[in-house]
Amino acid sequence: MKHTGSLLIVDDNPDILIAARLLLKQHYQSVKTTDNPFEIAGIIDEQRKADQPIDIVLLDMNFTQDSISGKEGFYWLKKIIEQDANIVVLLMTAYGDIQLAVDAIKAGASDFIAKPWQNEQLLGAVAAAFSHAKDKQQVGQLTRQKQGLNQALNTPSFEFLGQSAAMQQVFSTIEKAAQTDANILITGESGTGKELTAHAIHQASKRHSQTFMSLDMGAVAQNLFESELFGHKKGAFTDAKADRIGKFELAQGGSLFLDELGNLPLEHQAKLLAALQNRQITPVGGSKAVDIDIRLICATNDNLEQAVIEGRFRQDLLYRINTVEIRLPALRERSDDIPLLANYYLNHFCQKYKRSLAISDHDMTSLCQYSWPGNVRELAHAIERAVILTEGDRLDINSVVGNIAVLNANNIEQSSGRLNSEVQYDTFDLEILEQRTVRAALKHHQGNVSHAAKALGLTRGAMYRRLEKYGL
């Protein structure tokens, strides 16, 4: 039974072409020949178009111009590899010597065959070349899959949009900083788009074709911090049943995004600082340091300078991570962007849920007047819920943002100094007001503690403490 695969034999001696073709045709489905090396590129292209690409080329090293040096063979070897790096080339010559064979392998040939050959020798060399070709194709496929996976991982769910002056300043800073490998700290309230900003920095950088790896520091258990970031060796601790690669190694050559950095305990801050200073990590339970090459991007909604004063954050780590600081404005500070964002999310979720809806001018005005304490994240969630719950063809935004008209009226009344405290409040007890606010945030975010905490500007730990305090 013949093996699948396609060969091309290139030699200026017609007897060699006939002998090689007769032998190899018994074992392989397609065997092409030519005595003119200038035809190689055309044959490779024709075979590719016919969906029977050339796998192996048997290439003579000496043609009419030069009889013994092998220079022509090296020239055409280079041309073949440039045209298709997956093709495996076997070089042939009647003037073989060890140094020529070594040079051929260094130049990219798979093997070196001296003429005249033994049939078994030639068949064995071609069989090995086909095995090599299969390995190269698999490696190429894996590389393409990795590139596709990286592209999928590096593509955020939403676009990073803004046309206001505040956002144009952010975009300008990103453009300048992204071209360097400087560490970047992104600050701003919860929901302002810090992860989208990190993605934008990565995509604008020279590392954009490599991995973008992210880790929410607030979600990492303290006892797993080192394992998450640095990896561990099998048996390093009770549940370490296999080696694990940490986020630093997974992001090698690319960007590492550490979100909610303000939640990192002091003892872990020291370990992170050491890794950044030394550009090395050591997996838990390992003894060999691993060099790291990553672009670090951090984000926080905490005031790290105040945290330094309070002793909650290391000053030397703060200096290390914020070579460039990018502050994201709250949505209320860039209300000009609300129509752009609202329509973008409306189109996105209408496509997702197969709806056709529009926002009325009146509702758009209401959206622009609302303060959006949860920022862009709250706006996106509000639009999504409205798309799901709306029954007609006009988006009913009031059904998911409470009575937005009342909220806007309250905002206007407060800003104009006409606040009637007797209407708005039945108590000024801060504990009671805090309890009501936490309860309202939980209800608004349908019991999602993480989202409610972010909307309130709290860490998860602080949120859980209040839930326990008020028995919620």
Side-chain angles (χ1 to χ4, degrees):
M1 183 177 178
K2 293 184 179 181
H3 297 287
T4 58
S6 183
L7 297 97
L8 172 62
I9 308 169
V10 188
D11 198 300
D12 61 345
N13 186 331
D15 294 334
I16 293 292
L17 292 179
I18 293 172
R21 186 177 186 279
L22 288 174
L23 174 64
L24 296 171
K25 190 66 177 174
Q26 301 176 51
H27 303 276
Y28 297 96
Q29 287 185 346
S30 176
V31 180
K32 303 292 181 181
T33 62
T34 181
D35 61 359
N36 182 358
F38 289 94
E39 295 180 352
I40 293 174
I43 295 173
I44 291 175
D45 282 338
E46 289 175 7
Q47 290 296 110
R48 185 187 296 113
K49 291 175 183 177
D51 200 25
Q52 197 172 30
I54 297 294
D55 299 298
I56 309 295
V57 174
L58 274 69
L59 176 67
D60 189 21
M61 292 198 69
N62 299 301
F63 294 90
T64 55
Q65 295 179 14
D66 192 319
S67 61
I68 61 173
S69 71
K71 288 182 179 179
E72 287 180 299
F74 285 111
Y75 172 81
W76 293 111
L77 168 65
K78 181 180 177 182
K79 290 293 184 183
I80 293 169
I81 293 174
E82 287 176 352
Q83 186 174 0
D84 189 343
N86 287 325
I87 292 177
V88 175
V89 181
L90 295 174
L91 292 178
M92 306 183 295
T93 183
Y95 303 95
D97 61 43
I98 294 177
Q99 186 56 51
L100 199 60
V102 171
D103 292 342
I105 300 300
K106 287 182 178 179
S110 173
D111 204 348
F112 185 93
I113 301 173
K115 298 185 290 186
W117 60 75
Q118 297 293 323
N119 286 348
E120 292 78 8
Q121 177 194 18
L122 179 59
L123 289 174
V126 171
F130 266 104
S131 179
H132 186 197
K134 184 178 180 180
D135 289 342
K136 291 180 72 172
Q137 290 167 5
Q138 289 176 342
V139 169
Q141 183 180 8
L142 288 172
T143 300
R144 291 189 295 273
Q145 289 174 342
K146 180 177 180 292
Q147 290 173 343
L149 179 60
N150 282 340
Q151 184 176 7
L153 290 172
N154 295 344
T155 302
S157 302
F158 301 113
E159 293 183 31
F160 190 40
L161 301 174
Q163 57 190 11
S164 62
M167 287 306 296
Q168 291 305 310
Q169 180 62 46
V170 169
F171 296 149
S172 175
T173 305
I174 289 174
E175 184 179 1
K176 294 173 184 175
Q179 297 306 309
T180 73
D181 272 342
N183 293 334
I184 295 178
L185 175 63
I186 306 169
T187 61
E189 296 179 7
S190 293
T192 49
K194 291 187 281 295
E195 186 166 0
L196 287 178
T197 306
H199 274 287
I201 293 167
H202 176 77
Q203 290 298 328
S205 74
K206 298 175 183 178
R207 298 173 180 262
H208 66 274
S209 62
Q210 302 300 317
T211 302
F212 175 92
M213 188 62 56
S214 64
L215 179 64
D216 185 344
M217 304 305 292
V220 178
Q222 291 194 26
N223 61 328
L224 295 178
F225 165 80
E226 289 185 84
S227 175
E228 285 285 346
L229 258 66
F230 310 141
H232 65 245
K233 295 295 183 181
K234 180 180 179 181
F237 47 87
T238 304
D239 293 327
K241 303 185 185 308
D243 288 356
R244 176 177 182 175
I245 299 176
K247 292 296 191 293
F248 268 100
E249 281 193 84
L250 289 172
Q252 191 76 292
S255 300
L256 176 61
F257 174 53
L258 301 182
D259 198 4
E260 303 287 2
L261 193 68
N263 292 326
L264 193 62
L266 282 169
E267 62 269 25
H268 294 159
Q269 292 176 28
K271 294 171 182 176
L272 176 59
L273 177 62
L276 297 176
Q277 287 177 334
N278 300 328
R279 306 295 293 179
Q280 286 185 331
I281 60 167
T282 302
V284 180
S287 57
K288 184 179 179 181
V290 178
D291 292 333
I292 55 170
D293 174 24
I294 56 104
R295 199 302 171 58
L296 183 68
I297 307 171
C298 298
T300 182
N301 62 358
D302 197 359
N303 184 335
L304 293 187
E305 292 182 353
Q306 182 63 34
V308 169
I309 295 172
E310 296 172 359
R312 295 185 289 111
F313 203 85
R314 294 178 63 109
Q315 188 174 51
D316 47 3
L317 178 58
L318 178 58
Y319 290 152
R320 177 69 62 174
I321 64 175
N322 74 335
T323 306
V324 177
E325 182 174 341
I326 298 175
R327 179 191 172 275
L328 295 182
L331 188 53
R332 63 182 175 275
E333 298 174 30
R334 55 176 185 121
S335 56
D336 292 350
D337 288 331
I338 291 177
L340 172 69
L341 293 167
N343 283 315
Y344 168 77
Y345 289 120
L346 178 64
N347 291 334
H348 176 87
F349 291 118
C350 279
Q351 289 181 11
K352 179 178 179 179
Y353 297 111
K354 299 185 176 11
R355 301 293 306 274
S356 179
L357 299 167
I359 302 177
S360 69
D361 292 341
H362 177 268
D363 281 348
M364 185 64 79
T365 300
S366 296
L367 292 175
C368 292
Q369 291 174 345
Y370 180 50
S371 63
W372 297 106
N375 294 297
V376 181
R377 183 187 291 114
E378 183 185 1
L379 173 62
H381 289 171
I383 298 294
E384 181 176 16
R385 289 193 297 275
V387 168
I388 294 171
L389 298 176
T390 294
E391 295 182 356
D393 58 1
R394 195 188 78 177
L395 196 73
D396 183 11
I397 193 66
N398 287 330
S399 65
V400 293
V401 192
N403 191 339
I404 199 166
V406 173
L407 291 171
N408 288 332
N410 290 343
N411 288 340
I412 294 171
E413 188 176 10
Q414 290 179 37
S415 64
S416 62
R418 296 193 302 271
L419 177 63
N420 184 338
S421 61
E422 293 181 1
V423 174
Q424 296 297 321
Y425 301 103
D426 57 3
T427 180
F428 287 97
D429 187 303
L430 289 178
E431 271 201 16
I432 295 175
L433 292 175
E434 182 181 63
Q435 180 179 357
R436 290 177 179 176
T437 303
V438 171
R439 190 188 299 274
L442 278 173
K443 182 179 179 180
H444 177 77
H445 291 283
Q446 300 176 347
N448 189 310
V449 175
S450 296
H451 292 166
K454 288 188 176 183
L456 292 167
L458 299 173
T459 65
R460 265 181 285 271
M463 183 67 170
Y464 280 118
R465 286 193 294 274
R466 283 164 174 79
L467 294 179
E468 184 178 1
K469 177 181 178 181
Y470 299 123
L472 300 176

